[in-house]
Every structure is written in C-alpha cells, then in structure tokens.
Amino acid sequence: MEPEVVSSEMLLSPIFSFKKVQMGDKYPKGQARGRHWKHLKQILQAENFQAYANGKPNYLNIEAPPSAYPSKKFCDITGFEAPYVDPRTTLRYANPEIFKRIRMLPNEYVQRYLSLRNAAVVLR
Amino acid sequence: MATMPQRQTDYRFFSPAIPIVIDNGGFNFRAGWAGESDPRITFRNLVHRPRHKATGEMVTIVGDHDPALLKYFDCTRSSFRSAFDSNVVYQFEIMEYVLDYAFERLGAEGSQVDHPILMTECVCNPLSSRSKMAELLFETYGVPSLAFGVDAAFGYKFNQQKGICSEDGLAICSGFTTSHIIPFVQGEPVLEACSRTNVGGYHVTYYLKQLLSLKYPYHISSITWEKAEELKLEHCYVSFDYAAELKLFQKGTKEAEEKTTFWQLPFIPPSQEEEPSEELARKAALKEKQGQRLRDIAALKKFTRISELESELHDLEDLVQQLEEVEEEEIYPFLSTTVYNSRQELESAVHRVTQSLRKARGEPLESEDKLDTSLSEKYSLINVPDSELTPEQLKEKKKQIFLKTTSEGRLRAKQKKFEEELLREKQNQQDEEKRLENPELYLEETRAKYRDLSERLEQRKRLKTNGSRSNGNNNSSGGIGRGERLNSAQKERMRLLTTAAFDRGKGEDTFGAKDEDWQLYKMMSKDYDDDDDSFEEDEAELGRLTTRLQEIDETFVAKSDMELLQGTLEIPWPRPLTVEDYKMTLGIERFRCPEILFQPNMIGVDQAGLDEMTGVSLRRLSTQYTEAKNSMCNSILVLGGSSIFPGLESRLEAGIRKIRPYLSPLKVVRSMDPVLDSWRGAASYAAAMEFPTQIFSIQDYYEKGESGLRQYQIKYSL
C-alpha cells in the first residue's frame, strides 16, 4: 500500500474494535451481496399498508397526488413554450426553425430528448 | 462538498450519557455530539469499492475522495453506491460501511459504541427499514439506546426556538431526492397531512447535466456530475414568473443577455502551420528528394523497356530480312524454327513492336494506316459477290464482314472519344477564361450549379427510399408497407402488374413470347429506373463540380461531409475550431432546471409541485385545525439542501397566495441555515433533559422487537 494512501486514511479498515461483529464475518467473501437487499418498491409491497391502520399515515399515503392543473408544454430542444408537436417523433417544438432541426436529428438524440421528459420508448 | 473529515481525538471525554447525533441525509452524512452547534464530521453519503492496482484486493472508500490518490486504484468496475433508494435506506451493508467510517472518524474506542444515538430518517419510514437500522445499531455496534426523528421537524423546532417561526406552521423541506411539506400544530408535526413529491436536488442536477450534454455533444466528457452540481449551485435561480422569463429569453432582450452566463472550457488552439522557415525548407527539400528518386526509378524502367523493345524490333527486322533472302520453298521450314507461322504474322508482330516502342518513347501513335493495307487483303472476299464463291468461301466472307464492321465500329468509337476530348478541352478553356475574367461570378455560378444538382440528386434518392433517411421511426405513417405503396413510382408498378395479370387471364402463361412483353417486364422490375442514364450523368457532373469547387473555393464543404456532421446539432465547421466553440452558454437552463421543483411534469414526474403541494397538505388537515390554518400560513419555513436557490421564497409566496383566500396572512421565511439546521435541531433535542424519555432502549428491542418500533414515535416539543 502506497504511503500517501495510508497517511491520508481514506481507506476503511476491515476490523474495528467497537464492533461486535466484523464486516468480514457478516458478509463472507464470495457471495453476491447485492441481491440480499430489497429495493424500495419491494419494501413497500412487503409492508402491505392496506392491511393495517387505515387512516394512519404511511409511506404511500403521504405521496402527493398528480397536479390538478393541466401541464404547460415546453419545447424539448430550446425550453420555450411549445404549442406544436412533431407527429413522427412526438417531440414538442416552439417554431418552424426548431422543427427543421428536429427532422435532421438522428434517432439516438430523439430518444435522449424524450427521455428527459420520461417519454422515451423503452424496450424491455 | 466537504473535505475529508479529520479523526476526532476527544471521544473519551464524552460520558456515555451524551448522545451522538447523526443526520443521515441522502446527500451528506453529518454526525457529532449532542449539545454542540456544528457537526463534527460531514461527508458524502456514498461508498466506493475499487480494486487496488498493486495488490488486487478490494478496498472500501467512504465519502469524498481525493482524485489524485485514486490513481492507485482501478475504478472501472466499481461505481459510487448509496445506501438510499429515494429517501429510504435499503442497503444496509453500505450503511454499515458508512457508520463504520463515521464512528471511526469520531474516534470511537472501546468494545462497543457506548452512547445513545439519535438518528434522522424520512417521514413515515417503512418499518422494515427502521427495524433493520435498529438491528444494525443494537447488535453490531452495541448501542444502548436509539431515537429516530424526522430531519425537517428538528429543523423546524430549532428555528422555532430561535423565534423565526411559531409553533403553528408549515415546513417546506426540499431534499436530495424528495421534497416534503409538513404542517405543525402546537409544536408537533401532523404526519397525516404531510405530503411528499419525488423531486429533489438530484433531479435538478441530472436535468442540467442532460440539457448541457444534448446542447453541446462535443463537450460531453467535460460535463460531469460534479461539474453540473457546481454550475447548479453557482448559477441556477428560481424565476418569479416562469412564462414571463421564458418570453424574455425568446425575444432575446438585453435583460436576457445580462442573465446569460458563459462557461469557458480550456481551449488549446491546434498547432500552427507557420513553423520556422528552416523546418519548412527542410521538409520541402525532403519531398523534393523523394520525388526525384521516384522519377529516377520511373525513367530507369522506361529506359529498360525501350531497350528491350528495340532489341526485339531489331531481331524481327533481321528475321524479315532473312525471309526475303530465303527462297519461296524454304519459307515454311525456315519459319517453323521461329514462332511465327506466316509472313503476315511476322509483319504484324513488327508493327506491334514499333507501336509499343513509340508509345514508350512518348511519341504520338500514328494512325492505323498500316492496318488498312492488310485490311484490304483480309477482307478481299467481301467485294466478291456471293454467287462466285464456294460454301467455304462464303463462310470466310461472313467472317470478314463481321470483322470489318467491328473494326469500323471501333474506329468510329475512337473518333467520337477524340472529338469529345477536344470538346471538353475547349469547354475547360472557356471555363478558365471565364474564371480569370470574373472570379466571383464564376464561383457563384459553380456553387449554384452544385447546389441545384445536389438537391435534385437528393430528391431523387429520397423518392427512391421513401424519405426515411434520418428518422428511423416510421410509426406514424403506419409502418413500412403502407409507406412504400404510396410512392408514385411504386404505384405505377402496381398498376402495370395488375393490368398485365388481368390481361393474361387464365390458361397458359405466354408472357415473354412477344417483344413488348420484355419492355413491360423491364418497366415492372424494381431495379429499373427510367431515369437511370441521366442519374449517372448527373452524378458524374456533381463529382466534377465538387472537385472544381474544392480547388478554387476554400469554404466549400462537400455534401457528403455535411451529412456526417449532422449528428451534432450545430452547424458543421469547415473552419478550424476557435475559442468560441469551447464556450458554453447557460441561458434559460439557469432557471429551467430548478423549475422542475414547481413543475415536476417537465421531467415526467406526474405529481404536484412545491406550491401546489402546500395546498394539498392544508386540505389534508382535518377540520379541527381549520382556525389554525391562518396562523400556520403566517409561519412557513423553507429548509433543506435543495432550497438555497435564489428567488425560491418569493416564488413560493406567490404560488401559495394563489391558493389561499384573498388577503389571508401569508409569510414565507427561509431557515437560518437550510443545510445544517436539521442537525442542529437534532443536537439541541438530544441535549434536552427530557431526551431519555423518548428513546427506544435495547431492552425494549429485546422485549418488544419490531412491533415496539412500529409504535415508536417521538414527541418533538420537549
């Protein structure tokens, strides 16, 4: 181990005195650790909030509802207000010059612009 | 971003009664002692597990790192991982690494961490996350007791103590991945009326990064996450009226220009062509030498070939001489010793060799008059009428006619080519004259011609491929099949096919017997283009114009090159790159990115923005609190790391005013320190005397377990 790395103390030591169980024992080497942990979606499913305590606040109750106002449409390329939509690519645009540029875009860029708005075509 | 925290040395001076206060945030992890005014250690809540290059072992690095030291590690396989998914902790292995580091930095000694711990969590933390955290702390670290609280609530209480807000109020907390609205009544948060939107500082930074990368794809490698965060902190602001601000920039007013900032990337101009003259001279001399060498080799080859041909000619001439000396009867045996079978062959060989000799010497070829004499001999039978010839001779005659016509055709073709050459020469000369007398006009004309020609070619190409060149998604036009059918050429083909099929009728298919059928077939065929010839001509013309323009016009860029560059959204640069190209403009991005906090629809999150959420939250308050609403709106506190955008409070005030009744009291204030107030509030809470009544001890854990945690809820007003 290089001396400057050691002196900077940036590495985490594998053994600590104040721990009752060390990391190495808890997670033996060789096993894939990532899949042990449930992601948030799975946690929420497992919690099963409908089963108990109607009315008590829980993680899902608290979530804000969709907006009551119709959303304003903004141009995907420039950000100005966009009254028009390109039927081929479903990108929104503000004026004809931007439309010209949209038509010259390769497909990769079209999908990236759409993914900004969470509207890209996702093939799973 | 914090620098690496130092190892604290005064751990042992703190008695086991003093709690350790931890603010476990999605962005930064803060920890310190209760009762102090600032956290002792702060670092990014991330873990990185690279492989050490020299030894090959996996090491763990928590928090920020010094980029210089990372060169000893192979960081390709590993990425920064966070224990959080949205604002909930789910990865407890990473959490353990983080806590290890935190306690070690705090200077922990002894066999266990012997202090009560006050930890922050998100609003309505799912039970499994809370219980796993408790398990980690109790069982691995041996903590004697625990307390969980909401960070925004601590911040609010802290500000309430300082008098910035009152006991009835509203906390608007915008964090790293989420934003919350929490109403407070009589000092306690009303969790039933909380609301949360899944937009936070992370989304703002990500949006900025994507916008810049799409706008400047050339610099995509310089737009890193860290750089985007820096830009966000420095330049982003919240506009008071988004639509009006957009209009300002759309019109390009002076105000808009003042608000635009630029980011100049380091620019190194490409090495100049003006090298010192000695270099140039040396290079020129080298080139000259190489050219000379090549020329010498060519001359040598030519010389050897000429000498070879000459010797051959000499031999042949000798042979001819000998032939003439020899008598008639002895011709054949004499000739059989050589390669040639007859006198004529010999003579034609001589002729051939002289021709090639002449070519090698570079002299003009003489016309084929020598052939003419032999021609009349060869075609002797043509002029004789058919009746006088035997069948064999007739065959001979046919052969000779055929030969004659072909050679005549060849002659004619050669002549035509020659004439065309002359014509082209003349045209070129005319062009040159025109150019010399009026260079500008000539340039314009050629450019115009080039443009027209290329457009025509493009159009034709487009017709052929049905216009689907750049955009691959033909979804709206109903798929490939329908699109093809609409083309006029295709329509014509279909018409021909159907009429032909209809005309044929049942029975035998006699298509192909007549000549007209073959015409029809040609028209129907896909590969046949009736514009074929002119297409090729146009292409040849285009090629010629391109070369011409490339010679005389410096700013000319061939169409094919332009198409390659159209991958970027910018105009292709035939000129060399300048400083200007490395300057990135931050115009509307400055206020477009934080706008997503108010309009999450801009990034596709289908939820209400901050101002609308307050309305939702107030509505969720049950009717018993109606009178309190007015006083609540009088003390609205803004906290959280992602609320430091300038202009946020005035925007919020304007937004909330729209929802509240006319002229009802409304006051929006920012907390004293939006980032650190949560920790400070938690610290002062932990230092209070009644704190031990609010904890969840290890005995409770062993007795009640998870259900105890489920009911666990602290009281914030001590």
Side-chain angles (χ1 to χ4, degrees):
Chain A
M1 201 59 64
E2 292 80 359
E4 51 194 15
V5 168
V6 170
S7 63
S8 72
E9 290 184 347
M10 69 180 207
L11 300 181
L12 204 64
S13 152
I15 302 186
F16 287 107
S17 62
F18 49 83
K19 288 180 80 170
K20 289 191 177 165
V21 184
Q22 301 299 331
M23 278 301 257
D25 309 321
K26 204 190 259 197
Y27 301 106
K29 236 182 171 193
Q31 282 178 16
R33 291 116 129 183
R35 58 179 173 70
H36 289 174
W37 307 110
K38 288 190 178 163
H39 287 267
L40 182 63
K41 277 202 195 133
Q42 293 159 319
I43 296 181
L44 295 176
Q45 253 182 350
E47 288 280 317
N48 204 359
F49 290 120
Q50 297 119 324
Y52 58 83
N54 240 349
K56 283 252 174 72
N58 55 53
Y59 194 79
L60 289 179
N61 264 353
I62 297 210
E63 193 128 340
S67 171
Y69 305 106
S71 66
K72 277 263 177 343
K73 317 274 190 282
F74 296 106
C75 170
D76 288 311
I77 317 272
T78 54
F80 301 133
E81 267 224 38
Y84 318 109
V85 177
D86 171 21
R88 199 188 281 174
T89 55
T90 67
L91 285 174
R92 299 186 183 141
Y93 61 96
N95 57 50
E97 285 79 41
I98 305 182
F99 180 67
K100 279 193 208 136
R101 279 179 34 188
I102 289 185
R103 276 295 156 93
M104 296 201 294
L105 277 181
N107 194 21
E108 188 213 342
Y109 283 85
V110 168
Q111 292 303 317
R112 279 172 72 181
Y113 274 113
L114 289 175
S115 67
L116 277 189
R117 250 199 300 141
N118 215 7
V121 177
V122 174
L123 303 165
R124 277 282 158 88
Chain B
M1 262 167 276
T3 52
M4 253 192 61
Q6 295 296 320
R7 187 159 210 266
Q8 307 297 313
T9 44
D10 51 0
Y11 183 83
R12 63 183 76 100
F13 300 127
F14 287 90
S15 83
I18 303 191
I20 296 178
V21 176
I22 297 180
D23 176 11
N24 192 13
F27 187 69
N28 269 347
F29 182 98
R30 282 172 268 267
W33 298 102
E36 299 195 349
S37 63
D38 274 321
R40 289 291 183 100
I41 52 177
T42 312
F43 52 87
R44 283 296 306 273
N45 210 336
L46 296 170
V47 169
H48 189 211
R49 303 204 77 224
R51 178 185 294 272
H52 190 226
K53 276 190 199 155
T55 57
E57 54 172 324
M58 297 281 275
V59 294
T60 318
I61 302 180
V62 177
D64 284 20
H65 54 279
D66 187 1
L69 291 174
L70 271 192
K71 60 177 190 266
Y72 297 115
F73 301 97
D74 165 32
C75 305
T76 51
R77 288 282 193 80
S78 61
S79 59
F80 281 97
R81 315 203 21 229
S82 164
F84 285 87
D85 184 353
S86 182
N87 54 356
V88 173
V89 182
Y90 81 111
Q91 261 262 20
F92 284 93
E93 187 193 334
I94 296 185
M95 197 66 231
E96 198 173 330
Y97 285 128
V98 171
L99 283 172
D100 276 353
Y101 187 66
F103 288 134
E104 187 252 333
R105 287 285 108 178
L106 264 185
E109 306 164 329
S111 59
Q112 58 184 29
V113 179
D114 213 0
H115 300 262
I117 301 234
L118 170 58
M119 197 142 184
T120 57
E121 58 174 15
C122 62
V123 180
C124 296
N125 199 11
L127 182 63
S128 64
S129 170
R130 194 188 250 192
S131 69
K132 285 216 182 75
M133 182 72 88
E135 175 191 333
L136 181 68
L137 284 170
F138 283 136
E139 303 201 355
T140 314
Y141 293 100
V143 168
S145 55
L146 265 187
F148 289 113
V150 174
D151 48 356
F154 287 133
Y156 189 87
K157 298 304 289 181
F158 185 68
N159 281 280
Q160 186 191 333
Q161 279 169 7
K162 301 291 177 197
I164 297 180
C165 46
S166 53
E167 62 168 17
D168 291 340
L170 207 62
I172 302 184
C173 174
S174 183
F176 189 54
T177 44
T178 53
S179 307
H180 290 94
I181 309 270
I182 308 175
F184 282 81
V185 168
Q186 282 161 2
E188 291 298 308
V190 182
L191 289 181
E192 289 86 11
C194 280
S195 80
R196 175 188 81 243
T197 297
N198 299 326
V199 187
Y202 165 80
H203 301 100
V204 178
T205 317
Y206 184 71
Y207 197 47
L208 180 64
K209 176 169 181 277
Q210 293 299 89
L211 283 178
L212 282 180
S213 312
L214 281 168
K215 197 161 146 189
Y216 300 101
Y218 189 74
H219 303 298
I220 196 168
S221 51
S222 339
I223 307 173
T224 61
W225 174 268
E226 287 81 22
K227 190 69 200 174
E229 249 180 41
E230 248 186 72
L231 288 172
K232 175 186 87 162
L233 287 173
E234 247 190 83
H235 297 290
C236 284
Y237 68 95
V238 177
S239 59
F240 186 69
D241 181 354
Y242 190 59
E245 202 92 0
L246 274 186
K247 287 240 171 42
L248 267 187
F249 275 80
Q250 202 162 3
K251 299 226 174 59
T253 59
K254 192 146 180 306
E255 237 191 273
E257 282 196 26
E258 282 165 18
K259 293 196 182 180
T260 324
T261 49
F262 300 94
W263 172 27
Q264 177 74 47
L265 284 173
F267 169 68
I268 309 162
S271 53
Q272 301 300 326
E273 286 128 32
E274 291 119 44
E275 306 162 42
S277 46
E278 309 101 54
E279 274 285 320
L280 262 178
R282 197 158 57 83
K283 281 208 177 145
L286 206 64
K287 247 194 243 177
E288 189 51 46
K289 233 194 313 175
Q290 283 173 338
Q292 187 60 32
R293 214 183 300 152
L294 284 171
R295 256 174 278 152
D296 284 340
I297 294 174
L300 196 65
K301 261 202 217 151
K302 199 168 164 192
F303 184 67
T304 42
R305 180 147 171 74
I306 289 179
S307 48
E308 267 179 36
L309 284 171
E310 274 181 351
S311 59
E312 212 183 313
L313 191 63
H314 198 71
D315 288 339
L316 284 173
E317 279 175 355
D318 273 349
L319 216 55
V320 170
Q321 283 276 351
Q322 283 177 1
L323 204 63
E324 282 175 3
E325 289 169 12
V326 157
E327 289 156 16
E328 280 285 329
E329 310 92 50
E330 296 183 9
I331 284 185
Y332 283 114
F334 178 73
L335 279 176
S336 56
T337 55
T338 65
V339 192
Y340 305 101
N341 290 339
S342 77
R343 183 203 194 84
Q344 272 153 350
E345 268 199 45
L346 194 60
E347 286 183 353
S348 56
V350 168
H351 185 85
R352 229 187 327 118
V353 175
T354 32
Q355 287 283 57
S356 28
L357 195 62
R358 278 215 185 86
K359 230 198 276 182
R361 286 209 191 113
E363 295 162 22
L365 291 170
E366 60 180 38
S367 53
E368 314 261 336
D369 33 43
K370 270 237 172 155
L371 257 179
D372 281 355
T373 51
S374 47
L375 260 181
S376 48
E377 279 181 21
K378 272 203 215 164
Y379 303 146
S380 50
L381 290 175
I382 293 182
N383 299 326
V384 177
D386 282 346
S387 48
E388 293 178 15
L389 294 169
T390 65
E392 281 185 9
Q393 284 180 323
L394 271 171
K395 262 198 269 177
E396 267 295 317
K397 181 179 180 183
K398 274 208 188 127
K399 244 204 297 182
Q400 285 176 2
I401 293 178
F402 178 67
L403 276 173
K404 182 171 185 196
T405 41
T406 43
S407 55
E408 274 181 7
R410 239 184 287 142
L411 269 173
R412 249 180 288 140
K414 253 195 232 159
Q415 279 216 343
K416 228 196 336 179
K417 241 199 288 177
F418 189 60
E419 280 171 16
E420 270 184 16
E421 278 280 333
L422 279 175
L423 200 65
R424 213 172 292 154
E425 272 297 316
K426 235 196 319 176
Q427 258 188 355
N428 277 353
Q429 269 188 338
Q430 277 182 352
D431 258 355
E432 272 299 313
E433 283 171 15
K434 250 205 290 180
R435 181 163 90 86
L436 287 169
E437 69 183 24
N438 193 355
E440 285 290 330
L441 190 62
Y442 179 74
L443 200 60
E444 274 310 310
E445 281 179 356
T446 358
R447 275 205 211 123
K449 263 192 274 174
Y450 179 80
R451 254 200 306 264
D452 290 335
L453 209 54
S454 55
E455 279 217 21
R456 238 190 313 148
L457 280 182
E458 286 257 320
Q459 240 187 1
R460 209 172 299 146
K461 258 199 249 175
R462 227 179 285 144
L463 275 177
K464 274 177 102 175
T465 63
N466 196 29
S468 55
R469 295 190 78 222
S470 329
N471 281 335
N473 23 1
N474 272 332
N475 301 334
S476 354
S477 58
I480 311 278
R482 214 182 328 148
E484 272 192 356
R485 257 180 263 152
L486 292 177
N487 192 353
S488 61
Q490 262 76 332
K491 263 199 262 193
E492 180 66 23
R493 252 203 2 257
M494 290 302 290
R495 191 182 63 78
L496 282 173
L497 276 171
T498 46
T499 45
F502 189 64
D503 287 348
R504 290 286 147 221
K506 310 240 161 76
E508 278 179 42
D509 188 8
T510 55
F511 189 79
K514 301 182 277 211
D515 278 331
E516 305 91 64
D517 291 345
W518 288 103
Q519 293 286 62
L520 202 65
Y521 179 73
K522 268 208 295 194
M523 273 194 280
M524 277 194 234
S525 155
K526 243 196 194 183
D527 302 320
Y528 181 78
D529 247 331
D530 32 6
D531 289 344
D532 227 4
D533 295 333
S534 53
F535 194 46
E536 282 170 19
E537 263 179 33
D538 282 343
E539 277 199 355
E541 179 72 25
L542 194 68
R544 245 179 304 150
L545 280 176
T546 322
T547 39
R548 196 96 188 85
L549 275 174
Q550 268 169 352
E551 284 168 20
I552 54 180
D553 189 3
E554 314 87 43
T555 66
F556 176 71
V557 178
K559 251 312 171 49
S560 53
D561 296 340
M562 276 187 84
E563 281 172 13
L564 284 176
L565 292 167
Q566 263 164 22
T568 70
L569 274 187
E570 308 170 49
I571 315 164
W573 33 59
R575 52 182 167 71
L577 294 176
T578 65
V579 178
E580 286 294 315
D581 295 319
Y582 277 69
K583 195 192 270 199
M584 292 206 232
T585 322
L586 292 172
I588 66 166
E589 289 85 14
R590 283 184 71 191
F591 60 94
R592 184 179 175 190
C593 297
E595 185 64 23
I596 64 175
L597 292 173
F598 293 91
Q599 294 189 42
N601 284 310
M602 282 170 73
I603 51 172
V605 173
D606 196 13
Q607 289 186 295
L610 280 182
D611 41 6
E612 217 184 310
M613 259 212 297
T614 41
V616 166
S617 202
L618 288 172
R619 274 201 302 271
R620 281 187 182 162
L621 279 177
S622 67
T623 43
Q624 63 185 120
Y625 298 121
T626 341
E627 333 76 48
K629 278 189 201 172
N630 274 346
S631 50
M632 269 163 60
C633 291
N634 220 357
S635 91
I636 299 184
L637 190 72
V638 173
L639 10 124
S642 159
S643 64
I644 40 186
F645 293 113
L648 188 88
E649 299 96 52
S650 29
R651 175 67 186 271
L652 266 177
E653 199 174 319
I656 301 177
R657 198 176 285 287
K658 282 190 222 161
I659 313 176
R660 294 290 297 148
Y662 182 60
L663 289 184
S664 64
L666 181 63
K667 187 167 78 135
V668 176
V669 282
R670 183 191 281 189
S671 62
M672 292 195 307
D673 186 343
V675 174
L676 284 180
D677 271 355
S678 311
W679 188 88
R680 291 191 180 131
S684 68
Y685 183 85
M689 291 246 284
E690 294 90 351
F691 176 65
T693 58
Q694 302 294 319
I695 57 176
F696 189 78
S697 73
I698 199 165
Q699 285 90 353
D700 294 335
Y701 180 68
Y702 286 136
E703 284 169 25
K704 300 186 236 168
E706 259 196 31
S707 53
L709 275 176
R710 178 176 296 175
Q711 290 145 11
Y712 173 74
Q713 197 64 253
I714 62 169
K715 202 159 91 77
Y716 290 88
S717 338
L718 291 175

